[in-house]
Amino acid sequence: MSRILVIDDEPHLRTLIQKFLLLDDHEVDLAEDGNKGLKLIEGNSYDLVITDIVMPEKDGLEVVMELKQLFPNIRIIVISGGGERLNIQDLLKMARLMGADRVMSKPLDFIKLQSAVREVLAMQS
Ligand SMILES: [Mg+2]
């Protein structure tokens, strides 16, 4: 069992990801934007953060940047459906360059997400 934080501003998707991760017996917390996510990260010890990119307040790329500086051992999976100015592939490429362990485009393939979660959690041990 691992501790996972899911940050996404879409409530429906956030809950779906949580339900899916609970099937693998993980402990899952949720946050609706980068600011709230980083606050939770400071007070907890997560193994993995799954974050969306385009969100109000603080976006996912900023979350990745701060995470890499403050908690370099936390694994990161970035998910995105693209934004108004940048397409999905450019955003995911940026997330990769900033240090995300895996990047995935929306709509999410939950089986692929499950594999990615298993892979990155295995990297840590
Ligand atoms: Mg979003």
Side-chain angles (χ1 to χ4, degrees):
M1 188 198 80
S2 299
R3 297 202 65 196
I4 302 175
L5 174 65
V6 178
I7 311 173
D8 197 305
D9 59 331
E10 295 173 51
H12 182 64
L13 182 61
R14 211 160 59 215
T15 313
L16 260 182
I17 295 173
Q18 180 184 39
K19 283 188 178 147
F20 202 78
L21 294 172
L22 289 174
L23 294 176
D24 267 358
D25 281 333
H26 297 301
E27 203 177 306
V28 186
D29 288 340
L30 302 176
E32 65 196 53
D33 63 55
N35 274 337
K36 293 195 171 105
L38 283 166
K39 268 193 198 112
L40 278 173
I41 290 162
E42 280 163 20
N44 292 276
S45 50
Y46 293 108
D47 303 297
L48 165 65
V49 172
I50 299 174
T51 184
D52 181 28
I53 295 182
V54 180
M55 297 181 289
E57 304 302 326
K58 184 167 280 187
D59 72 37
L61 294 176
E62 292 176 88
V63 171
V64 172
M65 240 167 10
E66 291 190 33
L67 263 180
K68 294 307 281 185
Q69 284 172 359
L70 298 171
F71 305 97
N73 292 328
I74 298 183
R75 297 288 157 219
I76 306 170
I77 295 175
V78 170
I79 57 181
S80 183
E84 279 171 22
R85 279 167 298 174
L86 286 169
N87 68 32
I88 300 181
Q89 293 316 319
D90 288 340
L91 284 173
L92 292 179
K93 203 182 288 173
M94 284 164 73
R96 250 320 205 177
L97 289 173
M98 287 175 180
D101 296 293
R102 294 284 187 284
V103 296
M104 305 186 68
S105 55
K106 293 179 184 175
L108 274 185
D109 177 332
F110 283 90
I111 300 301
K112 279 190 186 154
L113 178 65
Q114 185 180 46
S115 316
V117 166
R118 288 177 181 167
E119 280 170 29
V120 299
L121 290 174
M123 281 162 65
Q124 198 173 37
S125 54

